[in-house]
């Protein structure tokens, strides 16, 4: 019997559903095959475009409360807020980083 089994041609391996592997669907498929990968240079913002920071991110950068940020902006000891639209206010990231550098130097 063993000799007979060795002379037979081996069958294709099967997966857990007893479907020959050669006919089984691949388990992994890309989510969007048309999506192109971009180089890191293409995803970085251009140098001439100002980057803005909204209040939640600004609070993480400067570690001040919203009331203190607004008070300092009003009396001129913090970079002023910029209205991007009727309901969107932001701060220029470069101005905030310069303010932080100035505070660290003092």
């Amino acid at each position: 019997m063993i000799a007979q089994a060795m002379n037979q041609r081996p069958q294709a391996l099967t997966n857990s559903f007893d479907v020959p592997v050669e006919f089984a669907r691949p388990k992994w498929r890309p989510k969007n095959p048309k999506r192109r990968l971009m180089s890191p240079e293409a995803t970085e913002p251009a140098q001439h475009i100002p980057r803005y920071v909204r209040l939640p991110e600004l609070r993480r950068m400067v570690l001040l409360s919203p009331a203190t940020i607004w008070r300092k902006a009003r009396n001129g000891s913090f970079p002023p807020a910029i209205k991007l639209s009727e309901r969107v206010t932001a701060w220029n990231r470069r101005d905030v980083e310069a303010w932080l550098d100035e505070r660290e130097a003092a």
Side-chain angles (χ1 to χ4, degrees):
M1 182 162 249
I2 295 175
Q4 226 178 10
M6 293 186 78
N7 290 336
Q8 290 180 354
R9 197 167 170 200
Q11 293 181 350
L13 298 174
T14 59
N15 59 14
S16 60
F17 300 109
D18 292 330
V19 176
V21 172
E22 57 204 14
F23 299 114
R25 284 181 63 200
K27 291 183 180 180
W28 178 84
R29 288 187 180 202
K31 289 183 180 177
N32 186 354
K34 294 181 181 179
R35 181 177 161 196
R36 295 183 184 173
L37 297 177
M38 298 177 71
S39 66
E41 295 84 21
T43 59
E44 291 177 3
Q47 293 296 328
H48 67 280
I49 298 174
R51 298 208 8 138
Y52 296 101
V53 182
R54 301 281 306 271
L55 188 59
E57 187 178 352
L58 180 67
R59 289 185 63 200
R60 287 189 294 271
M61 287 175 67
V62 298
L63 301 176
L64 297 172
S65 70
T68 304
I69 292 171
W70 285 109
R71 185 175 58 249
K72 286 182 172 288
R74 191 172 43 247
N75 69 21
S77 62
F78 191 76
I82 300 166
K83 289 291 275 185
L84 298 178
S85 70
E86 183 181 329
R87 299 178 71 180
V88 177
T89 303
W91 285 261
N92 188 316
R93 180 183 295 273
R94 290 184 195 146
D95 293 345
V96 173
E97 289 173 349
W99 181 82
L100 285 171
D101 292 339
E102 185 180 296
R103 299 263 311 186
E104 288 175 3

